[in-house]
Amino acid sequence: MTNAQITLIQIDNYGPWTVTPEPRREVDLQTLQSRLYADLSQLIGNREGYVFFTRFDNMVAVTNGLSLDDHALVQESVGNRYPVTVSLSVATGTNPVQALHDATELLQDAGSAQDHSRREILDGRTIDEEFRTDDDVQIAHFDVNDMTGNYTDEVNAFDSFIHIEQGYAELMRYMREAHDSLSFFVGGDNVIAVCPNLTESDYEDAIRHVKESVEVDLKVGVGQGRVPQDAGMDAKHALETCRATGSKIEFE
Amino acid sequence: MTNAQITLIQIDNYGPWTVTPEPRREVDLQTLQSRLYADLSQLIGNREGYVFFTRFDNMVAVTNGLSLDDHALVQESVGNRYPVTVSLSVATGTNPVQALHDATELLQDAGSAQDHSRREILDGRTIDEEFRTDDDVQIAHFDVNDMTGNYTDEVNAFDSFIHIEQGYAELMRYMREAHDSLSFFVGGDNVIAVCPNLTESDYEDAIRHVKESVEVDLKVGVGQGRVPQDAGMDAKHALETCRATGSKIEFE
Amino acid sequence: MTNAQITLIQIDNYGPWTVTPEPRREVDLQTLQSRLYADLSQLIGNREGYVFFTRFDNMVAVTNGLSLDDHALVQESVGNRYPVTVSLSVATGTNPVQALHDATELLQDAGSAQDHSRREILDGRTIDEEFRTDDDVQIAHFDVNDMTGNYTDEVNAFDSFIHIEQGYAELMRYMREAHDSLSFFVGGDNVIAVCPNLTESDYEDAIRHVKESVEVDLKVGVGQGRVPQDAGMDAKHALETCRATGSKIEFE
Amino acid sequence: MTNAQITLIQIDNYGPWTVTPEPRREVDLQTLQSRLYADLSQLIGNREGYVFFTRFDNMVAVTNGLSLDDHALVQESVGNRYPVTVSLSVATGTNPVQALHDATELLQDAGSAQDHSRREILDGRTIDEEFRTDDDVQIAHFDVNDMTGNYTDEVNAFDSFIHIEQGYAELMRYMREAHDSLSFFVGGDNVIAVCPNLTESDYEDAIRHVKESVEVDLKVGVGQGRVPQDAGMDAKHALETCRATGSKIEFE
């Protein structure tokens, strides 16, 4: 059984801030957002977690292994170095979608994302050390079959991107609805999903669905571990096995 | 008539690099990608251009006002500070999709994105100073109507994100096919599009299409200028007018 | 008794790299150096260590609490994100100067800083967990008395800086020779020193010496702890007590 | 005749901010300071200026070629991305020390560096375009003779650093007093000085003085140009000539 610990990271009152007193230059917003994400990647990733940029103003992290104190330090470090602050809420469960749902509710109960007085919320609970197991996190790493040969080197850059985007949008929607998984585009032709205990036939089903609905041909490597970093690295190795053997699904 | 100058930015041989000699830690790849994008935002944005993260390994920029020498300096600066290099190709035209198509071809002709020996290509042509006009760039800034009230504060974070993502995927596809425009998600509930000379009824058509196909309710501000920074800032001001007046489409 | 764990961080073959094939633009070198330092600050600081920029191409860290595996991860993360690599050597001892001396020798034995084939050395030993105590690290935080009132707001910016610089150069030299301590300028009018078990009269002696030789008037807060972060934060609080009470030396 | 344009950059109310409501973690302050410097390097350097970290809370830039509008954009960009703001003052003159003196006075007249209500000052004047010449900036790039062979690979890292530091402190003081120049440590064993129209014998004098007073053996390359980037790059090439020929002073 998996037991994902999911953290929702929300920039406090970000929308209003971007247009107060008048719209801020897009170049600075883009720089701010992507650097904040990079910093969160380092802060959480170097504690063996994973964070996804999602919407940039709302980010989702898998944080098995991080305590609430670790979360507090991440929050403090952002507050010390950025003109904006972040709120963090944490929830856990066998179903990552449900865990994110619970984390979201905690934050919504504390106030609106655009409430000027709701700042630096830190709420929720982490998994007690005694209940942590070596199978708590299942991560699946998808990519598009022969993306470079079929698209990047053949089709114009935007149509390649539309192709990836359609595949990603369909995968993310289907994995959420049919398999209780959270899927995130992570650049290139890569999607990383945080999953409950899925089986090979579940992944077959998802790959078949995406192929049939938007004609994007995926393969996937799957890893499982105590912390996201281990599960994710196993998934990458499994995907390398797919590349080497031509198989579509590999569990490490 | 618009005359967009579009630059395709491609990390050289990136896919192979990420798994050589074995898969690199995802936290470092995410940090590298988002910081490279942040740096390109600054390098290009502070010369009044716009750059979009797109796939991160392939980025698209609107570079009216930047010379080939400026491009060379951007390329050199990346090469001096990153473990990877970038290739740049530039093309121009009244139709941004066609311009990106031409830029892509230049790069594809120079070799594969995964060819180890194809490095730091700099090719293409910029608009001659004498032919530049104050209407060369049209930029549209879309967002979702009452995203925070209807979604961020009400629905779980992933379902909010799916909602935005479906809207974005449909808008990007439709704007490309029906209106020769390049649309990019820029975080939050915002999409920025680089457009040819579109009219109010073109935007009405796009907004209606997205509403009908995926039930996402958009509004848009449109700006036009000599350089992307001016057109983009006008678009932001126009979008503020939408917010103030409740209108769906505003030209600055 | 203190027992400092000192890490020497050296960019491999950096001098030659900066001028190959021809001198690289200073703006990029400055950006590279200061961002590498910022990243090391985060990588080491978020594991409760301290790192000082020193010469930028050679940096010194106090790493009590970091294992060799932690060092390996820091090294890997730099290698994944920069065009240069770093070598790390670690040594321990009651005397921080001796520990740095030992760490330096390890690296020198492995080859020259400008040897192209000497890359990513990781050598030395950390303090065994069983021998770690709550007094292992003593950190002293110095600043200049009424710097803003007497200098920043009164004298031109460069003469203020010369004043600080002379005080710092003298403090660093004297603390090394008379008190076996490593002192580092950390910005503003602040110097942080890593010390063996110094007493109040040792600090009195150092402050008197700097006052007499270069007429710079210092005060100091001192903290002690198991890890640099705790000792350093205690030192800051002690310095706040100096500010509040007008005293020159405070131990937390 | 040189005509340097010097900008003083001061973080507003920084000292109080670092200890309010209580001392902030040093790791975050170090990260903030070095990244702010890196960003200013890019913002100013990519407009062909040079900026030096100096004290980090007060930085000095050579900004020939940057208008007041450029300065305003730098200020805005910092304000959009950091929890602190900066004030900028600009002055010009044949004597860089005098120019910095004038710039400092402008800022001091506007209020204290620790005055909470003095924020984002932008004052001073730049060189009118018609008065700019190809000799406006003279830059000298010093380094220590055979630093690696004699020190880095032979002496412990801190004693090497003390050696550089003493040389730097003496050079900076002497160049300011005897030759009206502003000298800055830029990492490794490198010092860059902004000078009025100095001659070969002036540099001989400075090198001799440093050798005699602190036994540090320097060489120097000198460049002159319309903007700092050109003068500085010429100085680097001249220093390469020193390395190749064994000479101590080269003008490009």
Side-chain angles (χ1 to χ4, degrees):
Chain A
M1 288 285 283
T2 64
N3 192 13
Q5 179 177 307
I6 302 288
T7 302
L8 174 61
I9 304 165
Q10 194 173 81
I11 305 181
D12 296 316
N13 200 32
Y14 184 57
W17 182 85
T18 64
V19 294
T20 304
E22 50 181 338
R24 296 175 193 258
R25 286 160 34 95
E26 192 65 31
V27 51
D28 289 334
L29 299 180
Q30 293 299 313
T31 306
L32 170 68
Q33 292 174 185
S34 48
R35 287 198 181 156
L36 176 55
Y37 169 63
D39 271 347
L40 290 168
S41 282
Q42 288 290 312
L43 286 164
I44 291 173
N46 284 310
R47 291 177 172 83
E48 312 208 71
Y50 262 42
V51 55
F52 302 99
F53 56 79
T54 323
R55 285 170 49 179
F56 286 101
D57 59 349
N58 285 263
M59 291 175 265
V60 175
V62 195
T63 55
N64 293 62
L66 278 83
S67 66
L68 277 183
D69 280 352
D70 291 330
H71 282 77
L73 192 140
V74 169
Q75 189 176 55
E76 178 188 338
S77 186
V78 171
N80 277 341
R81 297 189 285 115
Y82 284 88
V84 292
T85 54
V86 292
S87 285
L88 306 175
S89 62
V90 196
T92 67
T94 54
N95 176 334
V97 172
Q98 181 64 41
L100 179 57
H101 181 84
D102 294 346
T104 307
E105 272 194 348
L106 280 175
L107 215 50
Q108 287 167 344
D109 288 350
S112 166
Q114 299 196 353
D115 177 345
H116 184 65
S117 62
R118 197 217 69 183
R119 282 167 57 96
E120 296 199 318
I121 303 298
L122 174 58
D123 206 351
R125 54 193 304 277
T126 60
I127 305 170
D128 280 348
E129 202 56 36
E130 60 185 309
F131 297 119
R132 296 180 57 203
T133 77
D134 289 348
D135 293 324
D136 281 349
V137 186
Q138 183 176 111
I139 282 183
H141 196 133
F142 293 86
D143 77 1
V144 178
N145 276 331
D146 198 17
M147 184 68 205
T148 303
N150 290 336
Y151 293 91
T152 311
D153 292 346
E154 294 301 322
V155 178
N156 84 58
F158 199 73
D159 289 340
S160 291
F161 181 49
I162 288 180
H163 182 73
I164 290 175
E165 188 64 28
Q166 306 298 317
Y168 163 52
E170 194 56 34
L171 178 65
M172 129 194 244
R173 203 179 53 73
Y174 190 75
M175 287 291 284
R176 184 253 179 275
E177 287 172 9
H179 297 296
D180 290 327
S181 300
L182 303 168
S183 308
F184 304 92
F185 177 60
V186 294
D189 61 346
N190 297 267
V191 171
I192 293 181
V194 187
C195 308
N197 259 335
L198 299 191
T199 62
E200 185 158 345
S201 69
D202 295 325
Y203 288 108
E204 264 169 24
D205 171 63
I207 289 177
R208 189 188 321 114
H209 174 85
V210 173
K211 172 74 176 170
E212 285 171 9
S213 35
V214 293
E215 285 179 51
V216 175
D217 215 9
L218 299 168
K219 59 181 175 295
V220 65
V222 185
Q224 201 143 339
R226 188 177 187 82
V227 293
Q229 162 66 19
D230 290 346
M233 190 51 90
D234 278 358
K236 281 169 176 269
H237 282 290
L239 190 61
E240 287 303 288
T241 306
C242 289
R243 279 182 189 131
T245 64
S247 66
K248 289 231 166 166
I249 304 171
E250 290 288 337
F251 280 67
E252 186 73 11
Chain B
M1 289 284 284
T2 64
N3 193 13
Q5 178 178 309
I6 302 287
T7 302
L8 173 62
I9 303 167
Q10 193 173 81
I11 305 182
D12 296 314
N13 201 31
Y14 184 58
W17 182 86
T18 64
V19 292
T20 305
E22 49 181 341
R24 296 175 194 258
R25 286 162 32 96
E26 192 65 29
V27 51
D28 289 334
L29 299 181
Q30 292 299 313
T31 306
L32 168 68
Q33 291 173 186
S34 48
R35 287 197 182 158
L36 176 55
Y37 168 63
D39 272 347
L40 290 168
S41 282
Q42 288 290 313
L43 286 164
I44 292 173
N46 283 311
R47 289 177 173 82
E48 312 208 70
Y50 262 43
V51 55
F52 302 98
F53 56 78
T54 324
R55 286 170 49 180
F56 285 102
D57 60 348
N58 284 264
M59 290 174 264
V60 175
V62 195
T63 56
N64 293 60
L66 279 82
S67 65
L68 277 183
D69 281 352
D70 291 331
H71 281 78
L73 192 141
V74 169
Q75 189 176 54
E76 178 188 337
S77 186
V78 171
N80 278 342
R81 296 188 286 117
Y82 285 88
V84 293
T85 54
V86 291
S87 285
L88 306 174
S89 62
V90 196
T92 68
T94 53
N95 176 335
V97 173
Q98 182 63 41
L100 179 56
H101 181 85
D102 295 345
T104 307
E105 272 195 348
L106 279 175
L107 215 49
Q108 288 167 343
D109 289 350
S112 166
Q114 300 197 352
D115 177 345
H116 184 66
S117 61
R118 196 217 67 182
R119 281 168 56 96
E120 295 199 318
I121 303 297
L122 175 56
D123 206 350
R125 56 193 303 278
T126 59
I127 305 170
D128 281 348
E129 203 54 37
E130 60 185 309
F131 296 119
R132 296 180 57 203
T133 77
D134 288 348
D135 293 324
D136 281 349
V137 186
Q138 183 177 112
I139 282 184
H141 196 132
F142 293 86
D143 76 2
V144 178
N145 275 332
D146 198 16
M147 184 67 207
T148 302
N150 290 336
Y151 294 91
T152 311
D153 291 347
E154 295 300 323
V155 178
N156 84 58
F158 200 71
D159 289 341
S160 291
F161 181 48
I162 287 180
H163 181 74
I164 289 176
E165 187 65 28
Q166 307 297 318
Y168 164 51
E170 194 56 34
L171 179 64
M172 129 192 244
R173 202 179 54 73
Y174 190 75
M175 286 292 284
R176 184 253 179 274
E177 286 172 11
H179 298 297
D180 290 327
S181 300
L182 303 169
S183 309
F184 303 92
F185 177 60
V186 294
D189 61 346
N190 296 267
V191 170
I192 294 179
V194 187
C195 308
N197 259 335
L198 300 190
T199 62
E200 185 158 346
S201 69
D202 295 324
Y203 289 108
E204 266 169 24
D205 170 63
I207 289 176
R208 189 187 322 114
H209 174 84
V210 174
K211 173 74 176 171
E212 286 170 7
S213 35
V214 292
E215 285 179 51
V216 175
D217 217 8
L218 299 168
K219 59 181 174 295
V220 65
V222 185
Q224 199 142 340
R226 188 180 186 80
V227 292
Q229 162 66 20
D230 290 346
M233 190 50 89
D234 278 358
K236 282 168 175 270
H237 282 290
L239 190 61
E240 287 303 289
T241 306
C242 289
R243 279 180 191 132
T245 64
S247 66
K248 290 230 166 170
I249 304 171
E250 289 289 337
F251 280 67
E252 184 74 10
Chain C
M1 289 282 285
T2 64
N3 192 13
Q5 178 178 308
I6 302 287
T7 302
L8 174 61
I9 304 166
Q10 194 173 81
I11 306 182
D12 297 315
N13 200 32
Y14 184 58
W17 182 85
T18 63
V19 293
T20 305
E22 49 180 341
R24 295 175 195 256
R25 285 161 35 95
E26 192 65 30
V27 51
D28 289 334
L29 299 181
Q30 293 299 314
T31 306
L32 169 68
Q33 292 173 184
S34 49
R35 287 198 181 158
L36 176 55
Y37 168 62
D39 271 347
L40 289 168
S41 281
Q42 288 291 313
L43 286 164
I44 291 173
N46 284 311
R47 291 176 172 81
E48 311 208 72
Y50 262 41
V51 56
F52 302 100
F53 57 79
T54 325
R55 287 170 48 181
F56 285 101
D57 59 348
N58 285 263
M59 291 173 264
V60 176
V62 195
T63 55
N64 294 60
L66 278 82
S67 65
L68 277 183
D69 280 353
D70 291 331
H71 282 78
L73 191 140
V74 170
Q75 189 176 56
E76 178 188 337
S77 187
V78 171
N80 277 343
R81 296 188 285 118
Y82 285 88
V84 293
T85 54
V86 292
S87 285
L88 305 175
S89 62
V90 196
T92 68
T94 55
N95 176 335
V97 172
Q98 182 63 41
L100 179 56
H101 181 85
D102 295 345
T104 308
E105 272 195 348
L106 279 175
L107 214 49
Q108 289 167 344
D109 289 349
S112 165
Q114 299 195 354
D115 177 345
H116 184 65
S117 61
R118 196 216 68 182
R119 280 167 58 95
E120 297 198 319
I121 303 298
L122 175 56
D123 206 351
R125 55 193 303 278
T126 59
I127 306 170
D128 281 348
E129 202 55 37
E130 59 185 309
F131 297 118
R132 295 180 58 201
T133 76
D134 288 347
D135 293 324
D136 281 350
V137 185
Q138 184 176 111
I139 281 183
H141 196 132
F142 294 86
D143 77 2
V144 178
N145 275 330
D146 198 16
M147 183 69 206
T148 303
N150 290 335
Y151 293 92
T152 310
D153 291 346
E154 293 302 322
V155 178
N156 83 58
F158 200 71
D159 290 340
S160 291
F161 181 49
I162 287 180
H163 181 73
I164 290 176
E165 188 64 28
Q166 306 297 318
Y168 163 52
E170 194 56 34
L171 179 64
M172 127 193 246
R173 203 180 53 72
Y174 189 75
M175 286 292 284
R176 184 251 179 274
E177 286 172 10
H179 297 297
D180 290 328
S181 300
L182 303 169
S183 309
F184 303 92
F185 177 61
V186 294
D189 60 348
N190 297 268
V191 170
I192 293 179
V194 187
C195 308
N197 258 335
L198 298 190
T199 62
E200 184 156 346
S201 70
D202 295 325
Y203 288 109
E204 267 169 22
D205 171 64
I207 288 176
R208 188 188 322 114
H209 173 85
V210 173
K211 173 74 176 170
E212 285 171 9
S213 36
V214 293
E215 286 179 51
V216 174
D217 216 10
L218 300 168
K219 59 180 175 296
V220 65
V222 185
Q224 201 143 340
R226 189 180 185 81
V227 293
Q229 162 66 19
D230 290 346
M233 190 50 89
D234 278 357
K236 281 168 175 269
H237 281 289
L239 190 62
E240 287 303 288
T241 306
C242 289
R243 279 181 191 132
T245 65
S247 66
K248 290 231 166 166
I249 304 171
E250 290 289 338
F251 281 67
E252 184 75 11
Chain D
M1 288 284 283
T2 64
N3 193 12
Q5 180 178 308
I6 302 287
T7 302
L8 174 61
I9 303 165
Q10 193 173 83
I11 305 181
D12 297 315
N13 200 31
Y14 185 57
W17 182 86
T18 64
V19 293
T20 305
E22 50 181 339
R24 295 174 194 258
R25 287 161 32 95
E26 192 66 30
V27 50
D28 289 334
L29 299 181
Q30 293 298 314
T31 305
L32 169 69
Q33 291 174 184
S34 49
R35 286 198 182 157
L36 176 56
Y37 168 62
D39 271 347
L40 289 168
S41 281
Q42 288 290 314
L43 285 164
I44 292 173
N46 284 311
R47 290 177 172 82
E48 313 210 71
Y50 262 43
V51 56
F52 302 99
F53 55 79
T54 324
R55 287 169 50 179
F56 285 102
D57 59 348
N58 284 264
M59 291 174 264
V60 176
V62 195
T63 54
N64 293 62
L66 278 82
S67 66
L68 277 183
D69 280 352
D70 291 331
H71 281 78
L73 192 140
V74 169
Q75 189 176 55
E76 178 188 340
S77 187
V78 170
N80 277 343
R81 295 188 286 118
Y82 285 88
V84 293
T85 54
V86 292
S87 284
L88 306 174
S89 62
V90 196
T92 67
T94 54
N95 176 335
V97 173
Q98 183 63 43
L100 180 56
H101 180 86
D102 295 346
T104 308
E105 273 194 347
L106 280 175
L107 216 48
Q108 289 167 343
D109 289 350
S112 165
Q114 299 195 352
D115 177 344
H116 184 65
S117 61
R118 197 215 69 183
R119 282 166 58 95
E120 296 199 316
I121 304 297
L122 174 58
D123 205 350
R125 55 193 303 279
T126 59
I127 306 170
D128 279 347
E129 202 55 37
E130 59 186 309
F131 297 118
R132 295 180 58 203
T133 76
D134 288 348
D135 294 324
D136 281 349
V137 185
Q138 183 177 109
I139 281 183
H141 196 132
F142 294 86
D143 77 3
V144 179
N145 274 331
D146 199 15
M147 183 69 205
T148 302
N150 290 336
Y151 294 91
T152 311
D153 292 346
E154 294 301 322
V155 178
N156 84 57
F158 199 71
D159 289 341
S160 290
F161 181 49
I162 287 181
H163 181 75
I164 290 175
E165 187 64 28
Q166 306 298 317
Y168 163 53
E170 194 55 35
L171 178 65
M172 131 193 243
R173 203 180 53 75
Y174 189 75
M175 287 292 284
R176 184 252 179 273
E177 286 171 10
H179 297 298
D180 290 328
S181 299
L182 303 168
S183 308
F184 303 92
F185 177 60
V186 293
D189 60 348
N190 296 267
V191 171
I192 294 179
V194 186
C195 309
N197 258 335
L198 299 190
T199 62
E200 184 156 347
S201 70
D202 295 325
Y203 288 108
E204 267 170 22
D205 172 63
I207 288 176
R208 189 188 322 114
H209 173 85
V210 173
K211 172 75 176 169
E212 285 171 7
S213 34
V214 293
E215 286 180 50
V216 175
D217 217 10
L218 299 169
K219 59 181 175 296
V220 65
V222 185
Q224 200 143 340
R226 189 179 187 81
V227 292
Q229 162 66 18
D230 290 346
M233 189 50 88
D234 279 357
K236 282 168 175 269
H237 282 289
L239 190 62
E240 287 303 287
T241 306
C242 289
R243 278 179 192 134
T245 65
S247 66
K248 290 231 166 167
I249 303 169
E250 290 288 338
F251 280 68
E252 184 74 10

